[in-house]
């Protein structure tokens, strides 16, 4: 288990760097959209916000598989995964994310569903504006919590 936990801890650190880059790209695309009004940039913003959540979800799924030995199934598995990661699993691991991060990430999860199921021209700029505005703060809080969990993994392994 030691090598597995250490490997997972390192993977978290590497993935967080990529996720931060996606957040930066979303913010940059939004700023350019605000300056130019070019609607094509909304696609870039949406795709990067989609990538932001997807990257975090992928990490949480790895933790669920590698530590909990259980990934939720069924139609609501994406939401259930967030809840699972916010729960302390006695004798197995502490909560990976806080309740406040769960709620913030759930906003991005719901948005990702919209991105996957609507056409680009149906994206709402006001919703994008809100998500971009909170993206760096959300990322920062997620990073803090995942780094703390990563430290726990390294110490527990």
């Amino acid at each position: 288990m030691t090598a597995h936990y250490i490997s997972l801890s390192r993977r978290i650190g590497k993935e967080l760097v990529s996720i931060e880059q996606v957040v930066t790209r979303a913010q940059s695309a939004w700023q350019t959209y605000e300056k130019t009004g070019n609607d094509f940039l909304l696609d870039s913003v949406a795709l990067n916000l989609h990538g932001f959540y997807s990257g975090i979800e992928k990490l949480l799924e790895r933790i669920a598989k590698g530590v909990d030995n259980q990934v939720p199934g069924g139609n609501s598995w994406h939401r259930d995964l967030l809840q699972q990661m916010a729960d302390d699993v006695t004798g197995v691991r502490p909560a990976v994310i806080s309740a406040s991060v769960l709620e913030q990430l759930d906003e991005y999860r719901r948005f990702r569903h919209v991105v996957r199921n609507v056409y680009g021209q149906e994206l709402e700029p006001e919703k994008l504006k809100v998500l971009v505005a909170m993206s760096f703060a959300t990322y920062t809080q997620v990073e803090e919590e995942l780094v703390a969990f990563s430290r726990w993994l390294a110490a527990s392994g």
Side-chain angles (χ1 to χ4, degrees):
M1 203 56 94
T2 302
H4 175 70
Y5 276 18
I6 291 170
S7 175
L8 182 55
S9 175
R10 288 183 181 147
R11 176 64 148 219
I12 289 169
K14 288 178 183 176
E15 292 293 326
L16 285 171
V17 171
S18 297
I19 293 167
E20 182 178 22
Q21 291 170 346
V22 171
V23 170
T24 300
R25 289 176 59 86
Q27 291 177 338
S28 177
W30 179 259
Q31 289 168 357
T32 304
Y33 164 74
E34 285 188 313
K35 290 176 188 171
T36 66
N38 184 340
D39 287 346
F40 288 112
L41 290 164
L42 296 177
D43 296 344
S44 176
V45 173
L47 184 60
N48 281 290
L49 291 174
H50 176 287
F52 166 57
Y53 178 77
S54 293
I56 292 169
E57 185 179 75
K58 184 174 23 171
L59 280 176
L60 298 179
E61 189 176 2
R62 285 181 190 274
I63 293 167
K65 284 180 187 173
V67 179
D68 297 3
N69 296 315
Q70 174 181 332
V71 177
N75 291 336
S76 64
W77 82 266
H78 298 280
R79 171 73 176 142
D80 295 343
L81 176 65
L82 289 176
Q83 186 59 60
Q84 180 178 329
M85 293 295 105
D87 292 338
D88 178 51
V89 182
T90 306
V92 177
R93 63 160 174 79
V96 177
I97 59 172
S98 63
S100 65
V101 163
L102 180 154
E103 293 308 316
Q104 291 170 50
L105 290 177
D106 199 43
E107 286 290 320
Y108 291 96
R109 179 193 62 80
R110 288 193 302 267
F111 176 73
R112 182 183 66 177
H113 179 76
V114 169
V115 170
R116 288 181 170 183
N117 294 291
V118 301
Y119 295 105
Q121 67 266 25
E122 295 178 28
L123 293 171
E124 298 176 24
E126 287 306 310
K127 181 64 175 177
L128 289 172
K129 181 178 183 177
V130 169
L131 290 171
V132 168
M134 63 186 252
S135 64
F136 192 73
T138 299
Y139 169 77
T140 301
Q141 194 171 358
V142 167
E143 179 189 37
E144 287 175 14
E145 293 180 11
L146 285 176
V147 166
F149 184 74
S150 183
R151 286 188 192 117
W152 177 86
L153 279 172
S156 297

